[in-house]
Amino acid sequence: MIEKMQVNTKKRIEMVDITAEIKKLVGKVKVDQGLMHVYCPHTTAAITVNENYDASVQKDISETLSSLIPHHSNYAHTEGNADAHIKSAIVGSSRTLFIQGGEVCLGTWQGIYFCEFDGPRTREVWIKFIQT
Amino acid sequence: MIEKMQVNTKKRIEMVDITAEIKKLVGKVKVDQGLMHVYCPHTTAAITVNENYDASVQKDISETLSSLIPHHSNYAHTEGNADAHIKSAIVGSSRTLFIQGGEVCLGTWQGIYFCEFDGPRTREVWIKFIQT
Amino acid sequence: MIEKMQVNTKKRIEMVDITAEIKKLVGKVKVDQGLMHVYCPHTTAAITVNENYDASVQKDISETLSSLIPHHSNYAHTEGNADAHIKSAIVGSSRTLFIQGGEVCLGTWQGIYFCEFDGPRTREVWIKFIQT
């Protein structure tokens, strides 16, 4: 089964911390040991795993990406969100995480983020668990 | 078992839409529910998931990557394709997709792309299914 | 079970070839056919798969990333390693590989790398096998 989670983003570019909701879901599905794949079904957003202690790291990630790949440039795509598609292709559509003892295994400073690159929008995150 | 698919690229840099072939393969392997991992065994190519409605998005992705990581620069690697290795490392060697009801689960605008960064070449894509 | 491997990095930025150790582990765990997920539990490091024939490719990857995302810039994060977090988010926290006949399936030129972006440090790599 595929679990679906709704994410309401509030800005054009935003790193939304979904760690707490993911942990709640892991508790609910009762997978003891295995894998979790967190998937973004959108082409102007992505999933990443990064520091969730100092929020300024998320600001640096999104601002550096935007300085490398600016909102407006000489793009062929005319919908005004070419930058968002490019960032999505680079950061990636999913992340894989391990589950042990019924809990998601994250490094000390790691959190799971939904990367909005063309919000605000109502988004979905799809999650699939593999029991091993 | 690992399924293998051949991709013949025609340009040095090209985003080849492999969605239709992947869907055909999914129909053939008869996995009802599970996962599909799409893997690129080459070090100057990659796999991505992105918009497959407006082809100009693919042009913007490859041209922006090439403006950030130019073909010719002060590279140590002397084979003339250092840029392709760097793009490959950034975009990534595989993508994970979900399967439900015997079909690959893609978001409304998503397609699966083989990213050629040093063609034209005869390439392979490896696919592995997990039934859950 | 999650296998854990220690990696001792020696420089601030370093692509450590972990292919031989991963192959040794694959031999030990006796998985005949399936998958291997190689995961980095750190927010200033990453995992990638790329050329392991000419070491100059690794130099080009890390130097190009550093020229796009410099060590010192106008970052909000004040620990002096914002660049490492950004690189980690872009390259990604894990890679998925296939296993067949008790061996990891790599393309002719592919190797597996631990990407250190804020060393030297004692790091961990987590590996999870799926028998199919």
Side-chain angles (χ1 to χ4, degrees):
Chain A
M1 217 183 72
I2 298 170
E3 304 286 334
K4 298 195 176 181
M5 180 187 287
Q6 193 176 299
V7 178
N8 298 302
T9 61
K10 296 189 182 72
K11 299 184 198 167
R12 179 161 198 269
I13 294 172
E14 190 183 358
M15 308 278 285
V16 183
D17 186 350
I18 56 172
T19 317
E21 271 186 275
I22 293 273
K23 283 182 175 173
K24 213 184 289 176
L25 183 66
V26 173
K28 210 188 74 181
V29 295
K30 302 196 189 309
V31 169
D32 179 56
Q33 195 162 289
L35 289 174
M36 173 176 63
H37 298 283
V38 182
Y39 185 82
C40 170
H42 309 285
T43 59
T44 53
I47 305 291
T48 196
V49 168
N50 213 277
E51 155 133 5
N52 81 337
Y53 179 72
D54 177 6
S56 69
V57 168
Q58 305 314 318
K59 189 174 181 286
D60 288 333
I61 292 173
S62 59
E63 288 190 356
T64 301
L65 276 172
S66 294
S67 97
L68 292 170
I69 304 157
H71 186 179
H72 300 292
S73 184
N74 193 24
Y75 298 121
H77 186 57
T78 55
E79 290 177 21
N81 61 0
D83 63 315
H85 288 291
I86 301 161
K87 291 168 185 171
S88 166
I90 289 173
V91 176
S93 50
S94 74
R95 286 296 186 268
T96 298
L97 294 133
F98 300 165
I99 292 178
Q100 202 166 42
E103 289 186 5
V104 56
C105 302
L106 287 165
T108 314
W109 309 108
Q110 287 183 324
I112 308 163
Y113 288 86
F114 180 86
C115 310
E116 173 63 84
F117 296 129
D118 190 37
R121 293 190 194 218
T122 301
R123 301 290 206 171
E124 271 190 0
V125 176
W126 297 350
I127 301 115
K128 178 116 188 146
F129 293 92
I130 308 292
Q131 173 81 44
T132 60
Chain B
M1 217 182 75
I2 298 170
E3 304 286 334
K4 298 195 176 182
M5 180 187 288
Q6 194 177 296
V7 179
N8 298 301
T9 61
K10 297 188 181 73
K11 300 184 198 166
R12 179 160 199 270
I13 294 172
E14 190 183 358
M15 306 278 285
V16 184
D17 186 349
I18 57 172
T19 317
E21 271 187 274
I22 293 273
K23 283 182 175 175
K24 213 184 289 176
L25 183 66
V26 173
K28 210 188 75 183
V29 296
K30 301 195 191 309
V31 169
D32 179 56
Q33 195 162 291
L35 289 174
M36 173 176 63
H37 298 282
V38 182
Y39 184 83
C40 170
H42 310 285
T43 59
T44 53
I47 305 292
T48 196
V49 169
N50 213 275
E51 154 132 6
N52 82 337
Y53 179 73
D54 176 8
S56 69
V57 167
Q58 305 314 318
K59 191 174 180 285
D60 288 332
I61 292 172
S62 60
E63 289 190 358
T64 302
L65 276 172
S66 294
S67 97
L68 292 170
I69 304 158
H71 187 179
H72 300 292
S73 183
N74 193 27
Y75 299 122
H77 187 56
T78 56
E79 291 178 19
N81 60 0
D83 63 317
H85 288 291
I86 301 162
K87 290 168 185 170
S88 166
I90 288 173
V91 176
S93 50
S94 74
R95 285 296 184 269
T96 298
L97 294 133
F98 300 166
I99 292 178
Q100 203 167 40
E103 290 186 5
V104 57
C105 302
L106 287 165
T108 314
W109 309 108
Q110 288 183 323
I112 307 163
Y113 288 85
F114 180 86
C115 310
E116 172 63 85
F117 296 129
D118 190 38
R121 296 191 192 218
T122 301
R123 301 290 206 171
E124 272 191 359
V125 176
W126 297 349
I127 301 115
K128 178 115 188 147
F129 293 91
I130 307 292
Q131 173 81 45
T132 58
Chain C
M1 216 181 75
I2 298 169
E3 304 286 335
K4 298 197 177 182
M5 180 187 287
Q6 194 177 296
V7 178
N8 298 301
T9 62
K10 296 190 181 72
K11 300 183 198 167
R12 179 160 199 270
I13 294 172
E14 192 183 356
M15 306 279 285
V16 184
D17 186 350
I18 57 172
T19 318
E21 271 186 274
I22 293 274
K23 283 182 175 173
K24 211 183 290 173
L25 183 66
V26 173
K28 210 188 73 183
V29 295
K30 301 195 191 310
V31 169
D32 179 56
Q33 193 162 292
L35 290 174
M36 173 175 64
H37 298 283
V38 182
Y39 184 84
C40 169
H42 309 286
T43 58
T44 54
I47 305 292
T48 196
V49 168
N50 212 276
E51 155 133 6
N52 81 337
Y53 179 72
D54 177 6
S56 69
V57 168
Q58 305 315 318
K59 190 174 181 284
D60 288 333
I61 292 172
S62 59
E63 289 190 358
T64 301
L65 276 172
S66 295
S67 97
L68 292 170
I69 304 158
H71 187 179
H72 300 293
S73 183
N74 193 25
Y75 299 121
H77 186 56
T78 54
E79 289 177 22
N81 60 0
D83 63 316
H85 288 291
I86 301 162
K87 290 168 184 170
S88 166
I90 289 173
V91 177
S93 49
S94 74
R95 285 295 185 268
T96 298
L97 295 134
F98 300 166
I99 293 178
Q100 202 166 42
E103 287 185 6
V104 57
C105 302
L106 287 165
T108 314
W109 309 108
Q110 288 183 323
I112 307 163
Y113 287 85
F114 179 86
C115 310
E116 173 62 86
F117 296 128
D118 190 37
R121 295 191 192 217
T122 301
R123 300 291 206 170
E124 273 190 358
V125 176
W126 297 350
I127 301 114
K128 178 115 190 148
F129 294 91
I130 308 291
Q131 174 81 43
T132 59

